[in-house]
């Protein structure tokens, strides 16, 4: 892995220190610079569960991706910098179904665990725009991160990552995971499923998200949504051209590298 090229992709002048502050800086820069997006899935381009392929797409071609690319590439960078990192297997909460990842094979979301300063930390750059900093697995307290409040709770032997939502007047689940590390092979079936099954959210709709200094944004064919301090503003697109222009503007990629946008 070309560490210097990766750091340049994150717009970092040099490698941060291998401590909690350095890890937090890396995670935040990744979420600010590398979008969470499914455009290759929608274009029908197969995505392998492979660190080199993820690096080439994210760093060389200056694209984004989904968790199996973003967290896999990021884990490689962290190891090269001297961090101890492993993969975590997570299930995403489906609010519409009121259930944990219905129909999705085990390992439907890949997150990271980093051992640092005598503690284990949840690190994730592949779940949309949050969380933007590491969260200690043994810390049950609420944690405010860039205006959003998170907490980890224990439930049936799992850790549940929750986010406070003003509209729900309380905490809502994002995903749950076992704290035990998993080998990469554990995620192979889910990686294929997420990019091929008709039920997969990555197959059904175009979307992209990215952090901004004071919040986060989501881009879909219908609208640009920006969330700051728990409040959401929305700009509806007038046509497909406005959607494409918005993708090009905020995803910070050259038009020649943008795959065909599905209808």
């Amino acid at each position: 892995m070309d560490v210097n090229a990766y750091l340049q992709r994150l717009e970092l002048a040099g490698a941060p220190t291998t401590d909690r502050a350095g890890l937090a800086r890396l995670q935040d820069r990744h979420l600010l610079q590398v979008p969470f997006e499914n455009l290759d899935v929608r274009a029908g381009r197969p995505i392998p569960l492979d660190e080199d392929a993820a690096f080439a797409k994210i760093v060389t071609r200056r694209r984004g991706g989904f968790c199996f690319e973003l967290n896999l590439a990021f884990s490689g960078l962290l190891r090269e910098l001297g961090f101890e990192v492993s993969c975590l297997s997570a299930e995403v909460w489906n609010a519409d179904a009121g259930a944990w990842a219905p129909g999705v094979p085990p390992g439907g979301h890949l997150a990271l665990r980093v051992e640092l300063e005598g503690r284990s930390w949840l690190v994730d750059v592949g779940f949309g725009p949050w969380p933007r900093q590491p969260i200690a697995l043994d810390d049950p307290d609420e944690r405010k991160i860039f205006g959003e409040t998170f907490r980890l709770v224990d439930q049936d032997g799992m850790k549940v990552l929750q986010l406070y939502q003003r509209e729900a007047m309380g905490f809502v689940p994002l995903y749950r995971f076992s704290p035990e590390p998993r080998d990469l092979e554990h995620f192979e079936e889910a990686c294929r499923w997420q990019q091929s099954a008709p039920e997969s959210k990555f197959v059904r709709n175009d979307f992209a998200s990215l952090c901004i200094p004071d919040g986060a944004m989501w881009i879909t064919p219908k609208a640009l949504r920006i969330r700051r301090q728990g409040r959401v503003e929305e700009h509806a697109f007038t046509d497909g051209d406005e959607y494409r222009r918005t993708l090009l503007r905020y995803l910070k990629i050259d038009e020649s590298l943008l795959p065909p946008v599905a209808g």
Side-chain angles (χ1 to χ4, degrees):
M1 176 178 287
D2 188 337
V3 171
N4 288 331
Y6 209 137
L7 294 175
Q8 289 173 11
R9 174 73 172 97
L10 304 184
E11 297 190 359
L12 287 170
T17 51
T18 52
D19 54 16
R20 180 182 172 185
L23 179 61
R25 179 161 173 74
L26 284 164
Q27 183 171 346
D28 186 50
R29 293 305 302 174
H30 208 288
L31 288 165
L32 283 165
Q33 298 298 324
V34 184
F36 178 78
E37 47 101 336
N38 70 329
L39 300 178
D40 276 359
V41 174
R42 291 283 285 165
R45 297 178 177 175
I47 298 171
L49 188 63
D50 180 83
E51 184 181 308
D52 290 340
F55 173 88
K57 180 179 177 182
I58 292 166
V59 178
T60 306
R61 300 201 298 277
R62 302 187 66 81
R63 285 283 308 283
F66 63 172
C67 69
F68 302 107
E69 301 169 284
L70 299 172
N71 278 323
L72 186 55
F74 191 50
S75 69
L77 174 65
L78 293 178
R79 289 191 189 93
E80 289 289 333
L81 292 173
F83 291 96
E84 182 182 348
V85 58
S86 56
C87 296
L88 293 174
S89 177
E91 299 174 294
V92 177
W93 176 251
N94 186 317
D96 293 333
W100 294 105
V104 184
H109 176 60
L110 187 158
L112 301 177
R113 171 176 169 163
V114 175
E115 309 305 322
L116 186 64
E117 300 174 357
R119 305 175 78 182
S120 300
W121 301 81
L122 171 67
V123 175
D124 200 338
V125 297
F127 192 73
W130 47 44
R132 286 175 66 173
Q133 291 185 350
I135 299 176
L137 297 191
D138 61 353
D139 187 354
D141 295 333
E142 298 176 8
R143 175 101 180 266
K144 197 156 187 122
I145 303 175
F146 289 94
E148 303 288 351
T149 304
F150 298 86
R151 70 181 181 187
L152 277 176
V153 299
D154 294 311
Q155 185 181 87
D156 301 325
M158 307 279 276
K159 296 283 187 179
V160 182
L161 178 64
Q162 299 179 333
L163 168 71
Y164 183 85
Q165 289 191 345
R166 182 179 284 105
E167 56 270 31
M169 294 186 294
F171 283 89
V172 298
L174 298 178
Y175 60 76
R176 67 179 184 180
F177 60 93
S178 167
E180 297 303 316
R182 294 284 190 169
D183 293 333
L184 197 57
E185 291 76 15
H186 171 81
F187 301 93
E188 288 180 348
E189 182 183 359
C191 182
R192 290 191 296 269
W193 188 94
Q194 292 285 28
Q195 57 186 301
S196 62
E199 304 90 343
S200 168
K201 69 174 184 177
F202 297 99
V203 172
R204 294 197 307 267
N205 300 294
D206 299 346
F207 57 82
S209 65
L210 190 67
C211 282
I212 56 178
D214 60 346
M217 67 170 65
W218 291 261
I219 306 169
T220 70
K222 293 183 178 180
L224 167 67
R225 296 174 63 244
I226 297 178
R227 181 180 171 106
R228 295 184 175 95
Q229 302 293 323
R231 300 184 183 277
V232 177
E233 56 189 77
E234 182 171 311
H235 169 73
F237 297 134
T238 57
D239 53 36
D241 286 340
E242 186 179 7
Y243 165 57
R244 187 178 178 87
R245 289 194 302 271
T246 303
L247 281 178
L248 291 170
R249 175 184 176 187
Y250 288 111
L251 269 60
K252 304 177 184 177
I253 58 177
D254 186 271
E255 187 169 10
S256 65
L257 299 179
L258 184 65
V261 178

